[in-house]
Structures are given as C-alpha cells and as structure tokens.
Amino acid sequence: MPNNHEDAEHRSIIVIDAANVVGSKPDGWWRDRKGATERLRDNLAHLSERELVDGEKPHVILVVEGQARGIESSPTVEVVNAPGSGDDQIVELVAAQIDHLCTVVTADRELQNRVTALGAQVLGPRSVLD
C-alpha cells in the first residue's frame, strides 16, 4: 500500500470494481484489458482529491482481477490484485472497513446486495467516468 493511503488518515473509502467499470464503456477494452484498467486507474486520480466528509479526502481502492492483474498502484489510487474473484475481494475489503465510510462503485446487482448488507453505499460506474 502506498504511504499516502494510510487508513488512519482516511475516514472514507471508495472501492472500485475495475472489471465492471471498464466493461461499462464499450471503447474496445476487450482488446487490452490491462491497458484499459491502467487508463481507468489514471482517470480516477481526481477522486482522491474530493472532500467527502468533514473535509476528509477518500482512500481510493481499485480492485482488479483476471487479465488486468498486475498493474501498479499510483500515488492517488491503491490497486488491489484479487487472487480470485474480484467481487469476493471487494466484499472482504468492505467487511474490513469497520471504522470507515465505504462506497463501492459497481453496476453488479449481486455485488451491490452483498456490500450494502455490510453497510456500504453503492454508486454506478458513470459516477466515476468522464
């Protein structure tokens, strides 16, 4: 985890379902999943600068799976490479955020149900896309 993403500094966490968000925009992502996910990571940099709660800036986590695994974190976006299911990794991350406000970005209804049951808020992919 990059040093500027220390959990103690952030009360808000935004967890992005990379496969779902990348797949929501038909721009040829299927030809280069890893490249499309790197572009998404770079386009998410602005999220870490948004003040969400009492002037706090969120910790942004991008969960990647499958062929997109292996991209690096950036100074503003932590990348978590799911060893298996990205959805299961997201649920695990949300469950671990007891002291944080957690928002998950996905259009996957089953994942939405799983994370809202844990107290997370949900936004759709368009909320983070240009």
Side-chain angles (χ1 to χ4, degrees):
M1 178 186 297
N3 290 338
N4 63 334
H5 293 306
E6 294 299 323
D7 284 342
E9 296 176 10
H10 302 275
R11 292 191 309 193
S12 298
I13 309 292
I14 300 176
V15 181
I16 314 281
D17 179 354
N20 188 268
V21 174
V22 166
S24 72
K25 190 174 181 182
D27 61 358
W29 59 264
W30 52 90
R31 290 188 293 268
D32 181 11
R33 292 170 196 247
K34 194 170 188 178
T37 305
E38 287 173 329
R39 287 188 297 279
L40 173 61
R41 177 205 56 208
D42 296 344
N43 289 333
L44 294 173
H46 70 282
L47 289 179
S48 67
E49 295 303 316
R50 287 187 183 170
E51 293 182 1
L52 299 179
V53 178
D54 297 331
E56 294 286 328
K57 294 179 180 176
H59 176 159
V60 180
I61 302 171
L62 180 66
V63 176
V64 300
E65 63 184 344
Q67 295 176 6
R69 275 191 216 113
I71 69 169
E72 300 292 323
S73 294
S74 72
T76 56
V77 178
E78 176 187 358
V79 174
V80 173
N81 290 287
S85 161
D87 290 2
D88 291 345
Q89 183 70 55
I90 291 168
V91 170
E92 184 179 315
L93 287 168
V94 170
Q97 303 303 325
I98 296 169
D99 297 329
H100 299 87
L101 299 174
C102 193
T103 301
V104 175
V105 178
T106 187
D108 181 319
R109 289 182 192 231
E110 181 181 337
L111 179 58
Q112 289 176 354
N113 291 336
R114 291 173 69 189
V115 298
T116 56
L118 295 170
Q121 298 177 5
V122 175
L123 295 173
R126 289 185 184 190
S127 67
V128 296
L129 296 173
D130 317 305

